Amino acid sequence: MENTPNGTELPRLTTGSRPVLDPGPLSALRDEAPLCRVRTPAGDDAWLVTRYAETKELLRDERLGRHHPDPASAARYVDNPLVEMLILDDADEARRLHREVRTLLTPQFAARRMREFGPRVAEAAQALAADFAGRERPADLHAYFSFPYALGVLHDLIGVPEAERGRCAALLRDLGRVGTAQEPPTGPGGLFALFRELAAAARTAPGDDVLSRLVASRVPDEQAAALAATLLFAGLESVVSHVDLGVVLLARHGAQHEAALGSAGAMAGLVEEVLRSGKQSGSVLPRYAGEDIEVGGVTVRAGELVLLDFALANHDERVFADPGAFDGTRSPNPHLSFGHGVWHCIGASLARRELAEAFTALFGRMPALRPAVPEERLVTGAGRLVGGPEALPVVW
């Protein structure tokens, strides 16, 4: 491992398994500096932003983005084809494409559409919770509720017919894997091909879904497919992991979820705290400096990789009093789990609704829902882009 100028080894980021609610060694870096040099899971050097203020400042800085003058030689966060294909060599083109994507997708999450779609989310949560409650205990919440619930909602939203949902799920599982020297990662070609087929079908038999509305707006099939695939990938794992982690947290704090079941406002507060505190580290947004940037007392040079870790920012005691405590009444709660500014998640309102309906359905039907094993045995999945548990055995 390469040493820093003072002879110490760089902290190494990893996508290996770890206890799901363990903050890990990187949390100590907040006390050292707002930006620290680290080694990425792919083996390259990067700047890790450790504090809230600098993370929010950089999210507003247009000099930071998905552009690098030589993408093939750019430092990498992980070895994953989907992440790599988003790096462009032209800053202006990267910004133009980012604005175009937001222009095309933002209307799909307009307040009216989300109100109309909300009952379908609630129905899906209640149906799956009812099925889950009838299973033999212990049962895997991740496999039989969290994953099929979040994926089913997105399938309905985007327009994936029942006949293609199994194929889509298999392609998604491979796409989120981080490659190793022994096993290269799977590219997004298969998923894009599926969505090209669905976009073409939507031209002749449109429905009330994202793909149909995109092609009706004369978006080419290739672009509609890429938008739908990216939306599905981006919106799936974050909701799945927060449902899982939320259940673990709420099982610790039964009085809080009991109070929230009778109040939409209290449930909304509970969801925000799950979003803030559920992930302890590893919720990383990789970006590149388009030019030299002065931030946090250091100069980030043009072309250098910057890692914005929202989980580290969300536990910064400079902003959040007693950040290690779970408090569903925390107010204000300005967490950065959905990003900020031009990097704010377009689907945030849907994700919030999904989490609220999931916790309402699960704890309303199974108030004693809790992990079936000690928390230290609940670990994140190894070699995945998003660090949630691969399994969550529960009893009730």
Side-chain angles (χ1 to χ4, degrees), residues 311-376:
L312 288 178
N314 288 342
H315 288 79
D316 189 346
E317 62 185 8
R318 297 158 188 81
V319 177
F320 302 97
D322 196 7
F326 182 87
D327 181 5
T329 66
R330 186 184 295 273
S331 181
N333 192 348
H335 64 78
L336 296 176
S337 296
F338 290 125
H340 179 69
V342 298
W343 300 110
H344 185 264
C345 175
I346 293 171
S349 62
L350 175 59
R352 287 183 165 104
R353 180 68 182 264
E354 288 180 83
L355 294 175
E357 296 294 353
F359 300 144
T360 297
L362 288 169
F363 286 101
R365 192 175 294 272
M366 296 167 282
L369 184 67
R370 63 195 185 278
V373 298
E375 284 187 14
E376 58 269 22

Side-chain angles (χ1 to χ4, degrees), residues 26-39:
L26 293 181
S27 61
L29 296 179
R30 271 193 306 266
D31 294 330
E32 294 185 14
L35 276 81
C36 296
R37 294 294 284 173
V38 296
R39 185 68 44 77

